[in-house]
Amino acid sequence: MAGEQHRRRLRALARRLEIPAEQLPLLERAFVHASALSGNAGPGDSNERLEFLGDSVLGLVAADYLERTYPLASEGELSKRKARLVSGELLAMSARRLRLGELLVLGASAAATGGGAQRPSLLADAFEALVAALYRARGLAAAAAFIEREHLTRVSEEQLREGNAKTALQEWTTAHFKCLPVYAGSVEGPPHARTFTASVNVGERALGSGTGRSKRAAQQAAAAQALEILRHEAADEQEV
């Protein structure tokens, strides 16, 4: 049943993005993590190569969007905004809103590490791979429209300016809870390929987790996830 549910969700996403049925295998590959493959799989069997392509498509579309949206901004300011727009933190937020984590296929070890399919790094990679699949299936115009509609225009000015989730989380918790976030973490892997995992607590609540190539990157990812949860909660309270 789980396999059939996965296929139904893929087909629903394909219909939503108007991806032709014959391109469904390409869309499926966008969500296959390398950890889910056997040892004799090739480099094109996971989403890694699509992620590589999607990163470049995102960069081009974001640069074009910023150049059109901020006609008075300097090149330096545009570069900073672009780096922020295509950051793993913000891509993961869009991927989480689109529920891309539900489509990810992970190996047992990846599924059991640092939040599994909800890890910000995996969600960001899935978003990039999806962009590449859409680009391959329907061309640059369709990919650009998707990126602008589902990501670029949904990033607020506040989020664009922040750039430091740890600082933003500390400011939020100090203002709302009169306490500081507390981080914990671990590291695994050989010295040349270490993976850092971090979690963050606010008071007694475990609110976020993340992974990265450095302790700081992992803590930033954890803080970003915690900040997103707190903001959603605050927004929900205002609607009541």
Side-chain angles (χ1 to χ4, degrees):
M1 180 60 72
E4 181 55 34
Q5 285 181 340
H6 185 264
R7 285 188 289 273
R8 281 202 301 268
R9 287 173 177 169
L10 277 174
R11 289 194 293 266
L13 180 60
R15 288 193 298 271
R16 177 180 174 186
L17 299 181
E18 299 181 10
I19 292 177
E22 60 268 22
Q23 297 285 3
L24 196 59
L26 176 67
L27 181 63
E28 185 174 11
R29 180 156 59 90
F31 299 103
V32 178
H33 189 256
S35 65
L37 301 177
S38 61
N40 59 358
D45 294 329
S46 74
N47 65 359
E48 289 180 342
R49 289 173 61 88
L50 288 175
E51 173 198 340
F52 164 77
L53 176 59
D55 177 70
S56 295
V57 176
L58 273 163
L60 171 62
V61 174
D64 177 69
Y65 170 79
L66 288 168
E67 200 279 331
R68 288 185 285 109
T69 306
Y70 301 97
L72 301 181
S74 67
E75 185 273 340
E77 184 178 352
L78 291 175
S79 294
K80 289 179 182 179
R81 287 175 177 264
K82 177 190 169 188
R84 180 68 178 143
L85 275 174
V86 300
S87 67
E89 176 191 337
L90 293 186
L91 292 180
M93 289 175 63
S94 290
R96 191 173 293 112
R97 179 178 48 77
L98 293 169
R99 301 173 67 177
L100 299 188
E102 297 177 6
L103 292 169
L104 275 169
V105 179
L106 306 177
S109 60
T113 302
Q118 294 305 314
R119 281 159 55 188
S121 59
L122 296 187
L123 289 171
D125 291 348
F127 190 90
E128 290 176 338
L130 174 59
V131 163
L134 183 56
Y135 167 72
R136 286 286 195 209
R138 295 190 53 211
L140 181 58
F146 169 79
I147 294 166
E148 190 163 334
R149 180 181 70 248
E150 299 293 349
H151 179 62
L152 300 178
T153 58
R154 293 177 181 268
V155 176
S156 68
E157 279 294 324
E158 181 184 8
Q159 292 169 328
L160 201 54
R161 287 194 304 267
E162 271 173 11
N164 189 325
K166 286 185 66 177
T167 299
L169 178 62
Q170 181 172 317
E171 291 174 350
W172 182 284
T173 58
T174 300
H176 292 81
F177 306 117
K178 310 302 181 186
C179 69
L180 296 175
V182 177
Y183 295 87
S186 62
V187 60
E188 58 184 26
H192 66 281
R194 288 183 170 176
T195 297
F196 291 80
T197 299
S199 60
V200 61
N201 280 36
V202 176
E204 299 298 320
R205 295 182 64 191
L207 278 179
S209 64
T211 61
R213 295 298 185 185
S214 66
K215 179 180 178 181
R216 181 181 184 279
Q219 289 184 345
Q220 286 284 353
Q225 188 178 79
L227 197 58
E228 183 182 1
I229 291 171
L230 292 173
R231 283 173 172 161
H232 277 308
E233 291 178 348
D236 289 343
E237 288 177 1
Q238 290 178 353
E239 292 177 359
V240 174

